[in-house]
Amino acid sequence: MSAGPLGSTFDPHSPEAVAICTLFGRTLGVCAVIGAVVAGLVVTCILRFRASKRPDVPVQTHGNRSLEIAWTLVPLAIVVGLFVLTAGAMAASDPPGDRAPDIVVVGHQWWWEARYASGAVTANEIHVPVGKDLLVRVESTDVIHDFWVPQLGRKVDAVPGHPYSISMQADAPGTYRGACAEYCGSEHAWMRILVIAQPQAEFDAWDRHQRQPAALPALPSAEATRGEVDFRGKTCVSCHAIGGERPPAQVAPDLTHLAQRTTLGAGVLANDPEKLALWLHDPQGVKPGSHMPDLHLSEPEVNDLTAYLETLR
Ligand SMILES: [Cu+2]
């Protein structure tokens, strides 16, 4: 799967997103009625009070108390009504705030790191159990990003040094597409998010698996063996973690289970051996400006590294 269009806010799949969508619909309804009344009055006045039919100076309403009370109270009632609707939607979508986060999502130029309370770490593709109200803390390591998965809830800014929390709950299994929603530099458009909602048992199995190193094949191919050596020798390790040693502050996506992910480079490529080789060969051509340098790998090195990374399931 590669990055398709974002999910629609009009197709909400969480209590938070339903509350926001409902608020939008009701506000739109109220405003549509106001719009219709105003437009109707304008048209009526144009027709009824044409200059040809009336004297130059119309009847004066200055000091008409009932009229003044009406045009004060009616707008007040409308604004109070909208406030009550908004407060309800806020109460339904605000995070609880008084417990430890289930997932910490960290925005980086230009990818997302996801760290689970269990210890699992991944990038760009966030697995969640269906129907569970998760507390997600959103942080940033560099500039202001914005985490937004339209079908699951509100936008939330990822501000360096100032974490925010959101509730996240997916009502049905499926893949929910999101994106960075705050311009954050040249590759802002390739900071896509996939939230993959799974039944609890499936999620638990995924979570357990993420915390272990990839089960390498009993008899790795010669390419994969050379690739693993290259991975250590070609400075990949100075940015990427594979397996045990996962630094607390990551500078690049964790690759422990890279081959299980569906996308590369936060959605810029689908994850298959051919695209992976393309990425290793020319990351700056695929995602210009990205913080993965072109390491000028030779053709055989790219092949070996691809073979090795493909074993990381
Ligand atoms: Cu961003």
Side-chain angles (χ1 to χ4, degrees):
M1 182 184 303
S2 169
L6 295 199
S8 167
T9 43
F10 299 116
D11 180 23
H13 277 283
S14 76
E16 296 81 34
V18 166
I20 293 167
C21 185
T22 309
L23 175 65
F24 176 82
R26 289 180 177 164
T27 308
L28 189 69
V30 170
C31 294
V33 170
I34 296 171
V37 168
V38 170
L41 286 174
V42 168
V43 171
T44 311
C45 291
I46 289 172
L47 297 178
R48 271 190 63 191
F49 300 101
R50 261 185 291 197
S52 59
K53 288 195 189 165
R54 298 277 155 176
D56 285 349
V57 180
V59 182
Q60 298 299 295
T61 54
H62 181 76
N64 184 331
R65 182 164 299 164
S66 30
L67 203 53
E68 285 180 1
I69 290 175
W71 74 43
T72 306
L73 287 190
V74 172
L76 185 69
I78 293 171
V79 171
V80 169
L82 289 177
F83 173 76
V84 170
L85 291 179
T86 307
M90 285 168 70
S93 68
D94 273 344
D98 55 354
R99 62 181 166 102
D102 301 292
I103 309 176
V104 176
V105 171
V106 186
H108 296 260
Q109 281 178 322
W110 290 276
W111 57 284
W112 300 95
E113 172 185 351
R115 314 182 73 91
Y116 289 73
S118 68
V121 180
T122 189
N124 304 321
E125 302 184 9
I126 302 170
H127 289 241
V128 298
V130 168
K132 255 205 140 161
D133 190 12
L134 301 173
L135 187 66
V136 177
R137 195 168 77 204
V138 179
E139 302 177 355
S140 166
T141 52
D142 36 44
V143 299
I144 299 176
H145 302 276
D146 190 293
F147 182 84
W148 188 38
V149 184
Q151 287 173 293
L152 298 184
R154 62 171 77 171
K155 292 177 176 171
V156 61
D157 272 1
V159 181
H162 192 102
Y164 286 109
S165 292
I166 47 167
S167 272
M168 192 157 74
Q169 172 176 344
D171 286 341
T175 300
Y176 302 96
R177 291 193 170 93
C180 180
E182 177 79 41
Y183 182 71
C184 58
S186 59
E187 291 297 343
H188 161 68
W190 286 120
M191 238 184 113
R192 305 293 292 266
I193 305 154
L194 294 180
V195 174
I196 297 147
Q198 301 169 299
Q200 184 75 48
E202 225 174 86
F203 169 80
D204 289 340
W206 176 86
D207 180 65
R208 247 192 326 276
H209 187 67
Q210 294 306 300
R211 283 179 273 141
Q212 289 151 13
L216 296 181
L219 271 180
S221 66
E223 286 100 334
T225 310
R226 282 198 302 270
E228 183 171 6
V229 174
D230 277 349
F231 190 81
R232 294 183 199 287
K234 293 281 170 191
T235 74
C236 315
V237 276
S238 59
C239 295
H240 292 284
I242 291 185
E245 346 79 41
R246 287 164 154 177
Q250 300 213 315
V251 296
D254 191 284
L255 301 181
T256 309
H257 295 282
L258 171 77
Q260 279 193 329
R261 295 205 279 270
T262 59
T263 62
L264 294 171
V268 74
L269 293 175
N271 187 8
D272 60 42
E274 204 179 303
K275 303 280 174 30
L276 180 55
L278 176 66
W279 173 264
L280 297 178
H281 172 67
D282 188 14
Q284 291 300 316
V286 174
K287 198 167 173 181
S290 102
H291 295 304
M292 162 101 176
D294 182 350
L295 291 158
H296 302 287
L297 303 171
S298 69
E299 206 67 27
E301 283 166 346
V302 168
N303 286 342
D304 294 347
L305 281 166
T306 305
Y308 168 56
L309 293 174
E310 284 298 325
T311 65
L312 302 176
R313 306 216 138 260

